[in-house]
Amino acid sequence: MDIDHFLFDIGDWVAGRGQFRQVGGEMWFCPPHGVARAGPRRFRMSEYAVRMNDMELSMGVGGSGVDPAVGRWGTVTGVWLGNAIRVEEWSPDRPPQAPEPPKSTQSRPPCPPPVGGWPMRRAEEGAFHDNLEFDLGDLEETGAAITVGQFRPGPHQTVLVVAAADEAAVEGYLRPQLAARLCVIPSRWTKAQVDQVRAVLWRHFSEWTLSSFGNGSDEQGQRVVFVRLFRVLPEMARWAVDVPDGLLEVDPVLAPAAR
């Protein structure tokens, strides 16, 4: 997998979104994952925070009733200096909102529908946005099922989609429970491949400026490991070359920008 397009070096233009903080008479750009300490307005600044040169303090946190001890959110564009950003443009931004509960959206399963279409849920089974009830047994632990998700192709329709490394085992265990409400597709990777990627990320968590990562799935029900980090380093990019395309999704806070 190629993530070289996220790399930048001294003299390159970069852009990012985070928190502007005034510390010791200097302005700092902080990733949006600071850790709160006990007590009001006391924060531990991220180890990845970088100074913002050529930025007036009053522009960053002063005025409009903004408390300098709290800082403010914004986007910044400038030149990477190695341990600081020479600010060329910046704009205020709203703080990140708390994630909204998942919405019941319609999504098409990656399997062709059975004859007569996907089954409709009866009234006594609950509304269409209710989850299906089923027992996975040890399918995930053994690596037979890599990703399990519920798709809703239409009102009152819910289908369990499983990306399987062992399709026969998944079919044999879940088909009797779900009948036509099951869609089994071949997984693009094995449990060992996913576990290996996660193990490497854990091992290099701080070294590669990671803030979080976790399992997810794409629109086809295939496993994706999502990674949030401050910036992509050359060491991580070299490792990612051997990661299968589509298994890893990288979301850096600071990335190259056009002039």
Side-chain angles (χ1 to χ4, degrees):
M1 178 176 177
D2 183 7
I3 58 174
D4 283 357
H5 56 284
F6 286 123
L7 295 174
F8 55 85
D9 207 343
I10 295 174
D12 292 340
W13 279 59
V14 294
R17 176 180 183 272
Q19 195 174 32
F20 301 165
R21 298 183 63 80
Q22 179 181 339
V23 179
E26 296 180 314
M27 285 299 303
W28 291 77
F29 173 77
C30 303
H33 292 282
V35 180
R37 290 179 177 174
R41 296 197 181 105
R42 296 181 61 192
F43 294 87
R44 184 176 69 217
M45 193 159 65
S46 168
E47 62 183 305
Y48 308 126
V50 295
R51 291 190 310 277
M52 296 193 294
N53 295 353
D54 300 333
M55 182 173 181
E56 296 181 12
L57 300 184
S58 60
M59 293 173 62
V61 296
S64 303
V66 177
D67 189 336
V70 178
R72 71 184 300 172
W73 289 89
T75 57
V76 63
T77 302
V79 178
W80 179 246
L81 303 177
N83 58 359
I85 301 171
R86 188 180 73 226
V87 177
E88 300 291 341
E89 298 178 1
W90 79 277
S91 61
D93 198 3
R94 294 182 179 180
Q97 301 297 313
E100 296 182 0
K103 297 180 180 179
S104 298
T105 56
Q106 296 183 4
S107 51
R108 187 184 302 276
C111 298
V115 176
W118 298 110
M120 304 289 289
R121 302 200 72 184
R122 297 185 299 273
E124 61 269 20
E125 294 177 311
F128 79 96
H129 50 75
D130 287 343
N131 290 332
L132 293 168
E133 294 184 1
F134 55 92
D135 172 29
L136 278 176
D138 63 356
L139 292 176
E140 291 182 306
E141 289 76 6
T142 61
I146 304 302
T147 310
V148 179
Q150 300 195 36
F151 283 53
R152 298 176 176 91
H156 309 288
Q157 294 174 315
T158 308
V159 179
L160 188 72
V161 176
V162 181
D166 186 340
E167 296 177 69
V170 172
E171 283 281 356
Y173 195 82
L174 290 177
R175 187 66 67 183
Q177 300 180 54
L178 297 168
R181 293 172 181 162
L182 176 65
C183 165
V184 180
I185 58 174
S187 175
R188 295 180 62 188
W189 11 86
T190 65
K191 183 176 184 296
Q193 287 177 299
V194 176
D195 289 346
Q196 174 65 16
V197 167
R198 291 178 57 88
V200 172
L201 293 174
W202 270 122
R203 191 159 60 245
H204 297 280
F205 195 94
S206 296
E207 178 186 350
W208 287 352
T209 74
L210 271 64
S211 57
S212 64
F213 70 89
N215 288 337
S217 59
D218 62 18
E219 294 180 352
Q220 295 299 309
Q222 296 287 346
R223 171 64 70 222
V224 179
V225 179
F226 295 97
V227 182
R228 177 77 170 174
L229 71 167
F230 180 61
R231 59 173 295 195
V232 173
L233 296 173
E235 296 82 0
M236 183 178 182
R238 285 194 292 270
W239 162 76
V241 169
D242 295 325
V243 176
D245 288 343
L247 177 53
L248 187 68
E249 184 168 317
V250 178
D251 181 21
V253 172
L254 201 63
R259 288 179 179 271

